[in-house]
Every structure is written in structure tokens, then in C-alpha cells.
Amino acid sequence: MSTPSLADASWLTAAATRKVMAALEAEGGPDVARFVGGSVRNSLMGLSVSDIDIATRLEPQSVMTALKAAGLKAVPTGLDHGTVTAVAESQPFEITTLRRDVTTDGRRATVAFTTDWAEDAGRRDFHINALYADGEGRVFDPTGQGLADIEARRVAFVGDAGRRIREDRLRILRFFRFHAWYGAGDPDAVGLAACVDEAGGLGELSAERVSKELLKLLAAPDPVPTVEVMARSGILERLLPEAGTIEAFRAMAAVSGDPLLRLSSLLPGSAEALDTAARGLRLSNREMARLQGLIGPKLDLETLEDRQVRALVYAEGKQAVADRLVKALALRPARRDRYDALTELVQTWPVPRLPVGGREVAALGVAPGPQTGALLKAFEASWIAEDFPGTGHVERLKALQDQREG
């Protein structure tokens, strides 16, 4: 295939990008820096570009000097590993010196700097991530297989797949994540076999790294085929020992692109088991709260009334009810119309505050103490049951008090 050019890519011709490249070239001359990774890969695939990474022959201190000389902000984000973040026009650019691995332990590597583009490409994970482009948009393929893999929508390891994985066990999950996002058809057979062979090393990874990578995978437009492969190969069970069948996951993925909701459909349904699984993944408190909010009686879009939804929102909050409605939609996808109406209700309904308090109770002659709390609790239950009426609060409170005294 002919070598493509990215000369017309909007991110490459942007003023901020040109300033960063000009700063590096002023310090190190032509071909001192090339774009690498996602920006090149996504451009060649016709996908949007969010992050721009640059590889350079300059060592980190020289990169810092070059950026400062050009009046650009330079942040030493990882000098030991050769990484400096440049900021131009409020946009970050991660700049990393060409490297080769000296030692690896499956989680992190000790690196040495190099000036050899091929040597740098040889330590990267996949051919599609080892493509480079210079400031003029000329594309370079040091592994000789990156462009072919782009065309075939194939995710294949650079060099020996097993060795790449042993350098960093997270590459097992990255293999599946990248296939879900960029692959087509069955995963690369050699890569899949290596992932299965090396899967025992997944236990060496921190839970935070696993959950972050897993959620990225589940955010893919259609992760179902990839997750099915993970289930058949035993990888999914190693990550989520509590996971059951994936029918619920298929249903959820069909109605929601939210990776956390998709994850919830792979986790057990009881509060205790869910809590154990979620804590095993070291999810954030916010993520844990959302997963816990999904526990409870199933909502049925066929019978669920507006007043019931308002009562749930008052008791559980908008996020929890919105999530539970998505779960209900996964069970009854044909009732999208009812789901849409209830979701709009959740989003737009102004949640009221309890309209009475201790002052109103005291005005009825009730002494402060347990009786006050009991009366307010009874009022709240009655108020919710009648769908949050906006008037008659004092009269309702008095009637409840009379009933208690009678």
C-alpha cells in the first residue's frame, strides 16, 4: 500500500501544534520530533483525535530548555521516563524521549534513552501504536506492519507477544480494549493465545489499573464481541470472578453506552456480592455509590407510574433513579417511549423539600423529643403517598397529630 500523508490533518496544522514542533526543531534540528500513537493511528483510521503525543530524540532537559526558550509552559511530568508535558494555547502535548527498555517486572520498566526511531518502536505494544508522523505529515512505519494492520483493522503485538505482555501485564487488557475500539472480526490469534498463556499474571496488577482499563474497554461503541471472547477464553473470569453469564451485559450494552452501567450488568445482583466485587476493583466512592444505587426491586416500564418515579427520586436521588430506569429499559427495550418520558421526568422534576419541621410541630403543642420525630416521619410518609401536594401542610400535620392522640 502507498504511504499515506497526514499533511491536511487539522490537529497537525493547528497553531498550538506548530508552536511546539517549532520549539523542538529549533533546539534539535529537522526530524528531531515526530507525532506518535493515538493521533497518527486515529487519523489514519478516520477517527477523531483528542490527545497529541510527540516522540523526540531530545532528552528531557533539552526538551524543557527548548519549550521555555519558545515561551511555552513545560511541566516535568515524568523525567525519569523521559516525559515532559508542553502547554501551548492551553492545550497539553505529551513529549517523550525515544526509549528502550533496560529491565521490566511486569508492571513498570527501567528505560534508557536512545535516538533510534526503530528501537523506540520496538518497545511499543501494538503495530498500530508504533506509527509516527513528522511535522509535514509524512508517516513512518518502523515495524513494517503498522499500516497493514491499520488497513486490516487488526491489533497485533510488536515482536514477541508473550514478551510484550511480560513487560507489562496490563497489555493483556489493552489488547482487548484496543480490539474493541479499533479491531474488526476475530482478535489476532497469536495475540489472543499469548494473553491466555500469560493471564495468570493479571493478579500482579493493581486493582486501580485493571478497573481503569476495563472501563475504557466497556466504553467502546460495541464491546460485546470482545467481551464474549474474554468470557470464552477465561480472561473475564480472572478479572471478575463473580461474573455470571453475559446475557444481561448484551442487553445493557444495546441500550446504554455508559461503561459503569455496562460493568454493573456483569456484576452480581445482591448488595453484599456487588460490594465485594466493586471493592475488589477499587472503584471510586462515586462509582461505588452508583453501583449500589442499582440494587433494589426491578422497575417495570409497563406498570411504573409517574408518581412512583417521583417518590423514588425523592428517596434515592436523580442519578440512582436514572440508572435504574436504564436497567429497566435493558429488560424491556421495546418500551423506549416510556423510558424517554420517565427519564425526562427525572431530569426536570424539582425535588421538593419537606415542607414542615420542628417549628410547625411545636406550634401544635408537641413537646420536643421522640414524638416530634415520629410525627414528622408520619407526615413525610403521607405527603409522599399523596404525590407531594403543595398545600395544606399544617392541616395534614394537625390531622396526623389528632390521630396519634386519639
Side-chain angles (χ1 to χ4, degrees), residues 241-302:
E242 304 86 354
T245 61
I246 63 172
E247 281 76 13
F249 173 71
R250 292 192 190 101
M252 179 62 80
V255 301
S256 174
D258 187 317
L260 196 66
L261 292 182
R262 289 174 168 181
L263 174 63
S264 74
S265 66
L266 290 169
L267 296 176
S270 72
E272 182 178 355
L274 176 63
D275 185 69
T276 299
R279 290 188 186 282
L281 289 171
R282 300 283 179 87
L283 298 174
S284 68
N285 290 338
R286 178 179 175 276
E287 291 166 335
M288 289 277 289
R290 284 191 66 192
L291 290 176
Q292 290 291 355
L294 288 162
I295 298 297
K298 293 179 180 179
L299 305 183
D300 188 345
L301 294 176
E302 292 286 352

Short mmCIF file of all heavy atoms in Angstrom, two decimals, residues 241-302:
data_model
loop_
_atom_site.label_atom_id
_atom_site.label_comp_id
_atom_site.label_asym_id
_atom_site.label_seq_id
_atom_site.Cartn_x
_atom_site.Cartn_y
_atom_site.Cartn_z
N PRO A 241 -14.34 -12.58 39.08
CA PRO A 241 -14.68 -13.95 39.47
C PRO A 241 -16.17 -14.13 39.74
O PRO A 241 -16.70 -15.23 39.61
CB PRO A 241 -13.85 -14.18 40.74
CG PRO A 241 -12.73 -13.18 40.65
CD PRO A 241 -13.30 -11.99 39.95
N GLU A 242 -16.85 -13.03 40.12
CA GLU A 242 -18.26 -13.13 40.47
C GLU A 242 -19.17 -13.02 39.26
O GLU A 242 -20.39 -13.16 39.36
CB GLU A 242 -18.65 -12.01 41.46
CG GLU A 242 -17.82 -11.98 42.73
CD GLU A 242 -16.51 -11.18 42.58
OE1 GLU A 242 -16.22 -10.76 41.44
OE2 GLU A 242 -15.81 -11.00 43.58
N ALA A 243 -18.59 -12.73 38.07
CA ALA A 243 -19.40 -12.52 36.88
C ALA A 243 -20.14 -13.79 36.49
O ALA A 243 -19.59 -14.89 36.56
CB ALA A 243 -18.54 -12.04 35.72
N GLY A 244 -21.40 -13.61 36.08
CA GLY A 244 -22.18 -14.74 35.61
C GLY A 244 -22.17 -14.78 34.09
O GLY A 244 -21.16 -14.49 33.45
N THR A 245 -23.30 -15.12 33.52
CA THR A 245 -23.42 -15.13 32.06
C THR A 245 -23.47 -13.70 31.56
O THR A 245 -23.69 -12.76 32.33
CB THR A 245 -24.68 -15.88 31.63
OG1 THR A 245 -25.83 -15.20 32.16
CG2 THR A 245 -24.66 -17.32 32.16
N ILE A 246 -23.29 -13.53 30.25
CA ILE A 246 -23.22 -12.17 29.73
C ILE A 246 -24.49 -11.76 28.98
O ILE A 246 -24.47 -10.75 28.28
CB ILE A 246 -21.99 -11.99 28.84
CG1 ILE A 246 -22.06 -12.90 27.61
CG2 ILE A 246 -20.70 -12.22 29.62
CD1 ILE A 246 -20.95 -12.60 26.62
N GLU A 247 -25.59 -12.49 29.17
CA GLU A 247 -26.83 -12.07 28.52
C GLU A 247 -27.26 -10.69 28.99
O GLU A 247 -27.70 -9.85 28.20
CB GLU A 247 -27.95 -13.09 28.80
CG GLU A 247 -27.90 -14.34 27.95
CD GLU A 247 -26.81 -15.30 28.40
OE1 GLU A 247 -26.27 -15.12 29.50
OE2 GLU A 247 -26.50 -16.24 27.63
N ALA A 248 -27.16 -10.45 30.30
CA ALA A 248 -27.54 -9.14 30.82
C ALA A 248 -26.62 -8.05 30.28
O ALA A 248 -27.06 -6.92 30.02
CB ALA A 248 -27.49 -9.15 32.35
N PHE A 249 -25.36 -8.39 30.08
CA PHE A 249 -24.42 -7.42 29.51
C PHE A 249 -24.80 -7.08 28.08
O PHE A 249 -24.77 -5.91 27.69
CB PHE A 249 -23.00 -7.98 29.56
CG PHE A 249 -21.99 -7.12 28.85
CD1 PHE A 249 -21.61 -5.90 29.39
CD2 PHE A 249 -21.44 -7.52 27.64
CE1 PHE A 249 -20.69 -5.09 28.72
CE2 PHE A 249 -20.52 -6.72 26.98
CZ PHE A 249 -20.15 -5.50 27.53
N ARG A 250 -25.17 -8.08 27.29
CA ARG A 250 -25.59 -7.81 25.93
C ARG A 250 -26.79 -6.86 25.91
O ARG A 250 -26.84 -5.91 25.11
CB ARG A 250 -25.98 -9.11 25.22
CG ARG A 250 -24.83 -10.07 24.94
CD ARG A 250 -25.30 -11.16 23.98
NE ARG A 250 -24.31 -12.22 23.87
CZ ARG A 250 -24.38 -13.39 24.49
NH1 ARG A 250 -25.40 -13.64 25.29
NH2 ARG A 250 -23.44 -14.31 24.33
N ALA A 251 -27.74 -7.12 26.81
CA ALA A 251 -28.94 -6.28 26.86
C ALA A 251 -28.60 -4.85 27.27
O ALA A 251 -29.12 -3.89 26.69
CB ALA A 251 -29.96 -6.89 27.82
N MET A 252 -27.74 -4.71 28.26
CA MET A 252 -27.38 -3.36 28.73
C MET A 252 -26.58 -2.62 27.67
O MET A 252 -26.80 -1.43 27.42
CB MET A 252 -26.58 -3.46 30.03
CG MET A 252 -26.13 -2.10 30.59
SD MET A 252 -27.50 -1.01 31.03
CE MET A 252 -27.96 -1.71 32.63
N ALA A 253 -25.64 -3.30 27.04
CA ALA A 253 -24.81 -2.65 26.02
C ALA A 253 -25.64 -2.17 24.84
O ALA A 253 -25.27 -1.21 24.15
CB ALA A 253 -23.72 -3.61 25.53
N ALA A 254 -26.77 -2.82 24.61
CA ALA A 254 -27.63 -2.43 23.49
C ALA A 254 -28.38 -1.14 23.76
O ALA A 254 -28.80 -0.46 22.82
CB ALA A 254 -28.63 -3.55 23.19
N VAL A 255 -28.56 -0.78 25.03
CA VAL A 255 -29.35 0.42 25.34
C VAL A 255 -28.55 1.54 25.97
O VAL A 255 -29.03 2.68 26.07
CB VAL A 255 -30.55 0.06 26.27
CG1 VAL A 255 -31.45 -0.97 25.61
CG2 VAL A 255 -30.08 -0.44 27.63
N SER A 256 -27.33 1.26 26.43
CA SER A 256 -26.54 2.29 27.12
C SER A 256 -25.06 2.20 26.76
O SER A 256 -24.51 1.09 26.70
CB SER A 256 -26.69 2.16 28.64
OG SER A 256 -25.84 3.07 29.31
N GLY A 257 -24.46 3.36 26.54
CA GLY A 257 -23.02 3.41 26.30
C GLY A 257 -22.23 3.73 27.55
O GLY A 257 -21.00 3.86 27.50
N ASP A 258 -22.90 3.86 28.68
CA ASP A 258 -22.24 4.19 29.95
C ASP A 258 -21.42 3.00 30.42
O ASP A 258 -21.99 1.94 30.71
CB ASP A 258 -23.29 4.56 30.99
CG ASP A 258 -22.69 5.09 32.27
OD1 ASP A 258 -21.69 4.52 32.76
OD2 ASP A 258 -23.21 6.09 32.82
N PRO A 259 -20.09 3.12 30.51
CA PRO A 259 -19.28 1.94 30.88
C PRO A 259 -19.57 1.41 32.27
O PRO A 259 -19.47 0.21 32.51
CB PRO A 259 -17.84 2.46 30.76
CG PRO A 259 -17.94 3.95 30.86
CD PRO A 259 -19.26 4.31 30.24
N LEU A 260 -19.96 2.29 33.21
CA LEU A 260 -20.25 1.81 34.56
C LEU A 260 -21.54 1.00 34.59
O LEU A 260 -21.62 -0.02 35.28
CB LEU A 260 -20.33 2.98 35.54
CG LEU A 260 -20.24 2.60 37.01
CD1 LEU A 260 -18.85 2.04 37.33
CD2 LEU A 260 -20.54 3.79 37.91
N LEU A 261 -22.54 1.42 33.84
CA LEU A 261 -23.77 0.63 33.77
C LEU A 261 -23.51 -0.69 33.06
O LEU A 261 -24.06 -1.73 33.44
CB LEU A 261 -24.86 1.42 33.05
CG LEU A 261 -25.39 2.65 33.78
CD1 LEU A 261 -26.50 3.31 32.98
CD2 LEU A 261 -25.89 2.29 35.17
N ARG A 262 -22.68 -0.67 32.04
CA ARG A 262 -22.32 -1.92 31.37
C ARG A 262 -21.59 -2.84 32.34
O ARG A 262 -21.83 -4.05 32.37
CB ARG A 262 -21.47 -1.63 30.14
CG ARG A 262 -22.25 -1.00 28.99
CD ARG A 262 -21.35 -0.58 27.84
NE ARG A 262 -22.12 -0.24 26.64
CZ ARG A 262 -21.59 0.13 25.48
NH1 ARG A 262 -20.26 0.22 25.35
NH2 ARG A 262 -22.35 0.41 24.44
N LEU A 263 -20.68 -2.28 33.14
CA LEU A 263 -19.99 -3.08 34.14
C LEU A 263 -20.97 -3.67 35.13
O LEU A 263 -20.85 -4.84 35.53
CB LEU A 263 -18.95 -2.23 34.86
CG LEU A 263 -18.22 -2.89 36.04
CD1 LEU A 263 -17.40 -4.09 35.56
CD2 LEU A 263 -17.31 -1.88 36.75
N SER A 264 -21.95 -2.88 35.55
CA SER A 264 -22.92 -3.35 36.55
C SER A 264 -23.63 -4.61 36.08
O SER A 264 -23.98 -5.47 36.88
CB SER A 264 -23.94 -2.25 36.86
OG SER A 264 -24.88 -2.09 35.80
N SER A 265 -23.85 -4.71 34.77
CA SER A 265 -24.56 -5.88 34.24
C SER A 265 -23.70 -7.14 34.24
O SER A 265 -24.21 -8.24 34.04
CB SER A 265 -25.07 -5.58 32.83
OG SER A 265 -23.99 -5.41 31.92
N LEU A 266 -22.41 -6.97 34.48
CA LEU A 266 -21.51 -8.12 34.59
C LEU A 266 -21.29 -8.53 36.04
O LEU A 266 -20.68 -9.57 36.32
CB LEU A 266 -20.15 -7.79 33.96
CG LEU A 266 -20.11 -7.66 32.44
CD1 LEU A 266 -18.77 -7.07 32.00
CD2 LEU A 266 -20.34 -9.01 31.78
N LEU A 267 -21.77 -7.70 36.97
CA LEU A 267 -21.53 -7.94 38.39
C LEU A 267 -22.75 -8.60 39.03
O LEU A 267 -23.86 -8.53 38.49
CB LEU A 267 -21.22 -6.61 39.09
CG LEU A 267 -19.93 -5.92 38.63
CD1 LEU A 267 -19.77 -4.57 39.33
CD2 LEU A 267 -18.72 -6.79 38.87
N PRO A 268 -22.56 -9.23 40.19
CA PRO A 268 -23.68 -9.91 40.86
C PRO A 268 -24.76 -8.92 41.31
O PRO A 268 -24.49 -7.73 41.51
CB PRO A 268 -23.01 -10.60 42.05
CG PRO A 268 -21.74 -9.84 42.27
CD PRO A 268 -21.30 -9.39 40.92
N GLY A 269 -25.98 -9.43 41.50
CA GLY A 269 -27.10 -8.56 41.79
C GLY A 269 -27.35 -8.28 43.26
O GLY A 269 -28.06 -7.33 43.59
N SER A 270 -26.78 -9.06 44.18
CA SER A 270 -27.02 -8.80 45.60
C SER A 270 -26.10 -7.71 46.10
O SER A 270 -24.98 -7.53 45.59
CB SER A 270 -26.79 -10.07 46.42
OG SER A 270 -25.40 -10.38 46.49
N ALA A 271 -26.57 -6.98 47.11
CA ALA A 271 -25.80 -5.84 47.62
C ALA A 271 -24.44 -6.28 48.17
O ALA A 271 -23.42 -5.65 47.92
CB ALA A 271 -26.60 -5.12 48.70
N GLU A 272 -24.43 -7.40 48.90
CA GLU A 272 -23.18 -7.84 49.53
C GLU A 272 -22.17 -8.31 48.48
O GLU A 272 -21.00 -7.93 48.52
CB GLU A 272 -23.47 -8.98 50.51
CG GLU A 272 -22.23 -9.47 51.25
CD GLU A 272 -22.55 -10.56 52.26
OE1 GLU A 272 -23.74 -10.87 52.45
OE2 GLU A 272 -21.60 -11.10 52.85
N ALA A 273 -22.64 -9.11 47.51
CA ALA A 273 -21.73 -9.61 46.48
C ALA A 273 -21.25 -8.48 45.58
O ALA A 273 -20.08 -8.45 45.16
CB ALA A 273 -22.44 -10.68 45.65
N LEU A 274 -22.15 -7.55 45.27
CA LEU A 274 -21.76 -6.40 44.46
C LEU A 274 -20.71 -5.56 45.17
O LEU A 274 -19.73 -5.12 44.56
CB LEU A 274 -22.98 -5.55 44.14
CG LEU A 274 -22.71 -4.26 43.37
CD1 LEU A 274 -22.14 -4.56 42.00
CD2 LEU A 274 -23.99 -3.44 43.23
N ASP A 275 -20.90 -5.36 46.46
CA ASP A 275 -19.94 -4.56 47.23
C ASP A 275 -18.57 -5.23 47.22
O ASP A 275 -17.55 -4.56 47.05
CB ASP A 275 -20.44 -4.41 48.67
CG ASP A 275 -19.56 -3.49 49.49
OD1 ASP A 275 -19.55 -2.28 49.21
OD2 ASP A 275 -18.86 -3.98 50.40
N THR A 276 -18.53 -6.55 47.36
CA THR A 276 -17.26 -7.28 47.34
C THR A 276 -16.57 -7.13 46.00
O THR A 276 -15.37 -6.86 45.91
CB THR A 276 -17.50 -8.77 47.65
OG1 THR A 276 -18.07 -8.90 48.95
CG2 THR A 276 -16.19 -9.54 47.58
N ALA A 277 -17.34 -7.29 44.91
CA ALA A 277 -16.76 -7.19 43.57
C ALA A 277 -16.27 -5.78 43.28
O ALA A 277 -15.16 -5.59 42.74
CB ALA A 277 -17.80 -7.60 42.53
N ALA A 278 -17.07 -4.78 43.63
CA ALA A 278 -16.70 -3.40 43.36
C ALA A 278 -15.47 -2.98 44.15
O ALA A 278 -14.60 -2.28 43.65
CB ALA A 278 -17.88 -2.47 43.66
N ARG A 279 -15.40 -3.44 45.41
CA ARG A 279 -14.23 -3.09 46.22
C ARG A 279 -12.98 -3.79 45.69
O ARG A 279 -11.87 -3.28 45.80
CB ARG A 279 -14.47 -3.45 47.69
CG ARG A 279 -15.50 -2.55 48.35
CD ARG A 279 -15.62 -2.76 49.85
NE ARG A 279 -16.70 -1.98 50.40
CZ ARG A 279 -16.63 -0.67 50.64
NH1 ARG A 279 -15.50 -0.03 50.39
NH2 ARG A 279 -17.65 -0.02 51.14
N GLY A 280 -13.17 -4.98 45.11
CA GLY A 280 -12.05 -5.68 44.51
C GLY A 280 -11.46 -4.91 43.34
O GLY A 280 -10.27 -5.03 43.05
N LEU A 281 -12.30 -4.12 42.68
CA LEU A 281 -11.82 -3.30 41.56
C LEU A 281 -11.32 -1.93 42.01
O LEU A 281 -10.84 -1.14 41.19
CB LEU A 281 -12.97 -3.10 40.55
CG LEU A 281 -13.37 -4.34 39.74
CD1 LEU A 281 -14.64 -4.06 38.96
CD2 LEU A 281 -12.24 -4.76 38.80
N ARG A 282 -11.47 -1.61 43.31
CA ARG A 282 -11.05 -0.33 43.87
C ARG A 282 -11.67 0.85 43.09
O ARG A 282 -10.97 1.80 42.71
CB ARG A 282 -9.52 -0.20 43.85
CG ARG A 282 -8.80 -1.26 44.65
CD ARG A 282 -8.85 -0.98 46.15
NE ARG A 282 -8.17 -2.03 46.89
CZ ARG A 282 -6.87 -2.04 47.14
NH1 ARG A 282 -6.11 -1.06 46.66
NH2 ARG A 282 -6.32 -3.02 47.82
N LEU A 283 -12.98 0.75 42.89
CA LEU A 283 -13.66 1.84 42.21
C LEU A 283 -13.75 3.05 43.12
O LEU A 283 -13.62 2.95 44.34
CB LEU A 283 -15.07 1.39 41.80
CG LEU A 283 -15.12 0.22 40.81
CD1 LEU A 283 -16.56 -0.23 40.60
CD2 LEU A 283 -14.49 0.58 39.49
N SER A 284 -13.98 4.21 42.54
CA SER A 284 -14.09 5.43 43.33
C SER A 284 -15.38 5.38 44.16
O SER A 284 -16.29 4.59 43.90
CB SER A 284 -14.14 6.65 42.41
OG SER A 284 -15.35 6.68 41.66
N ASN A 285 -15.45 6.26 45.17
CA ASN A 285 -16.66 6.31 46.00
C ASN A 285 -17.89 6.63 45.17
O ASN A 285 -18.98 6.09 45.41
CB ASN A 285 -16.48 7.35 47.11
CG ASN A 285 -15.47 6.91 48.15
OD1 ASN A 285 -15.19 5.72 48.31
ND2 ASN A 285 -14.91 7.87 48.87
N ARG A 286 -17.73 7.51 44.20
CA ARG A 286 -18.85 7.88 43.34
C ARG A 286 -19.30 6.69 42.50
O ARG A 286 -20.51 6.43 42.36
CB ARG A 286 -18.46 9.04 42.43
CG ARG A 286 -19.56 9.46 41.45
CD ARG A 286 -19.11 10.64 40.60
NE ARG A 286 -20.11 10.97 39.59
CZ ARG A 286 -20.23 10.37 38.42
NH1 ARG A 286 -19.37 9.40 38.10
NH2 ARG A 286 -21.16 10.73 37.57
N GLU A 287 -18.36 5.96 41.96
CA GLU A 287 -18.71 4.78 41.16
C GLU A 287 -19.36 3.71 42.03
O GLU A 287 -20.33 3.06 41.61
CB GLU A 287 -17.45 4.23 40.47
CG GLU A 287 -16.91 5.16 39.37
CD GLU A 287 -15.52 4.80 38.92
OE1 GLU A 287 -14.77 4.18 39.72
OE2 GLU A 287 -15.16 5.16 37.79
N MET A 288 -18.83 3.53 43.24
CA MET A 288 -19.41 2.56 44.16
C MET A 288 -20.85 2.93 44.49
O MET A 288 -21.75 2.08 44.51
CB MET A 288 -18.58 2.50 45.45
CG MET A 288 -17.23 1.86 45.30
SD MET A 288 -17.31 0.06 45.40
CE MET A 288 -17.67 -0.15 47.14
N ALA A 289 -21.08 4.24 44.73
CA ALA A 289 -22.43 4.69 45.07
C ALA A 289 -23.40 4.43 43.93
O ALA A 289 -24.55 4.03 44.15
CB ALA A 289 -22.40 6.18 45.43
N ARG A 290 -22.95 4.65 42.70
CA ARG A 290 -23.84 4.41 41.55
C ARG A 290 -24.18 2.93 41.43
O ARG A 290 -25.33 2.57 41.17
CB ARG A 290 -23.19 4.90 40.27
CG ARG A 290 -23.21 6.41 40.07
CD ARG A 290 -22.79 6.78 38.67
NE ARG A 290 -23.75 6.31 37.67
CZ ARG A 290 -23.51 6.31 36.36
NH1 ARG A 290 -22.33 6.74 35.90
NH2 ARG A 290 -24.43 5.88 35.52
N LEU A 291 -23.19 2.07 41.63
CA LEU A 291 -23.46 0.63 41.55
C LEU A 291 -24.42 0.20 42.66
O LEU A 291 -25.35 -0.59 42.41
CB LEU A 291 -22.16 -0.16 41.64
CG LEU A 291 -21.22 -0.06 40.43
CD1 LEU A 291 -19.93 -0.82 40.69
CD2 LEU A 291 -21.90 -0.59 39.16
N GLN A 292 -24.23 0.71 43.85
CA GLN A 292 -25.13 0.36 44.95
C GLN A 292 -26.54 0.88 44.69
O GLN A 292 -27.53 0.26 45.09
CB GLN A 292 -24.60 0.92 46.27
CG GLN A 292 -23.34 0.23 46.79
CD GLN A 292 -23.61 -1.19 47.25
OE1 GLN A 292 -24.73 -1.65 47.28
NE2 GLN A 292 -22.55 -1.91 47.62
N GLY A 293 -26.64 2.02 43.99
CA GLY A 293 -27.94 2.59 43.69
C GLY A 293 -28.76 1.73 42.74
O GLY A 293 -29.98 1.90 42.64
N LEU A 294 -28.11 0.81 42.05
CA LEU A 294 -28.82 -0.07 41.12
C LEU A 294 -29.44 -1.27 41.82
O LEU A 294 -30.24 -2.00 41.22
CB LEU A 294 -27.85 -0.57 40.04
CG LEU A 294 -27.43 0.47 39.00
CD1 LEU A 294 -26.17 0.03 38.27
CD2 LEU A 294 -28.57 0.71 38.02
N ILE A 295 -29.08 -1.48 43.08
CA ILE A 295 -29.63 -2.60 43.83
C ILE A 295 -31.03 -2.24 44.32
O ILE A 295 -31.27 -1.15 44.81
CB ILE A 295 -28.73 -2.94 45.03
CG1 ILE A 295 -27.34 -3.36 44.56
CG2 ILE A 295 -29.36 -4.02 45.88
CD1 ILE A 295 -27.33 -4.62 43.73
N GLY A 296 -31.94 -3.16 44.20
CA GLY A 296 -33.32 -2.92 44.64
C GLY A 296 -34.29 -3.62 43.73
O GLY A 296 -33.90 -4.23 42.72
N PRO A 297 -35.57 -3.55 44.07
CA PRO A 297 -36.58 -4.19 43.21
C PRO A 297 -36.51 -3.67 41.78
O PRO A 297 -36.27 -2.49 41.55
CB PRO A 297 -37.91 -3.79 43.89
CG PRO A 297 -37.54 -3.47 45.30
CD PRO A 297 -36.17 -2.89 45.23
N LYS A 298 -36.71 -4.56 40.82
CA LYS A 298 -36.66 -4.16 39.42
C LYS A 298 -37.82 -3.22 39.10
O LYS A 298 -38.93 -3.41 39.57
CB LYS A 298 -36.72 -5.39 38.51
CG LYS A 298 -35.50 -6.28 38.60
CD LYS A 298 -35.64 -7.50 37.70
CE LYS A 298 -34.41 -8.39 37.78
NZ LYS A 298 -34.55 -9.61 36.93
N LEU A 299 -37.54 -2.23 38.29
CA LEU A 299 -38.59 -1.33 37.81
C LEU A 299 -39.15 -1.89 36.51
O LEU A 299 -38.40 -2.33 35.65
CB LEU A 299 -38.03 0.08 37.59
CG LEU A 299 -37.32 0.72 38.78
CD1 LEU A 299 -36.88 2.14 38.42
CD2 LEU A 299 -38.22 0.74 40.00
N ASP A 300 -40.47 -1.84 36.36
CA ASP A 300 -41.13 -2.35 35.17
C ASP A 300 -41.72 -1.19 34.39
O ASP A 300 -42.65 -0.51 34.87
CB ASP A 300 -42.23 -3.34 35.57
CG ASP A 300 -42.84 -4.06 34.36
OD1 ASP A 300 -42.62 -3.60 33.23
OD2 ASP A 300 -43.53 -5.07 34.57
N LEU A 301 -41.20 -0.95 33.20
CA LEU A 301 -41.68 0.18 32.40
C LEU A 301 -43.13 0.02 31.96
O LEU A 301 -43.77 1.00 31.57
CB LEU A 301 -40.79 0.34 31.17
CG LEU A 301 -39.34 0.76 31.44
CD1 LEU A 301 -38.55 0.80 30.14
CD2 LEU A 301 -39.29 2.11 32.13
N GLU A 302 -43.66 -1.19 32.04
CA GLU A 302 -45.06 -1.40 31.67
C GLU A 302 -46.01 -0.86 32.74
O GLU A 302 -47.10 -0.38 32.42
CB GLU A 302 -45.34 -2.90 31.47
CG GLU A 302 -44.65 -3.52 30.26
CD GLU A 302 -45.30 -3.10 28.95
OE1 GLU A 302 -46.37 -2.48 28.99
OE2 GLU A 302 -44.72 -3.40 27.90
#
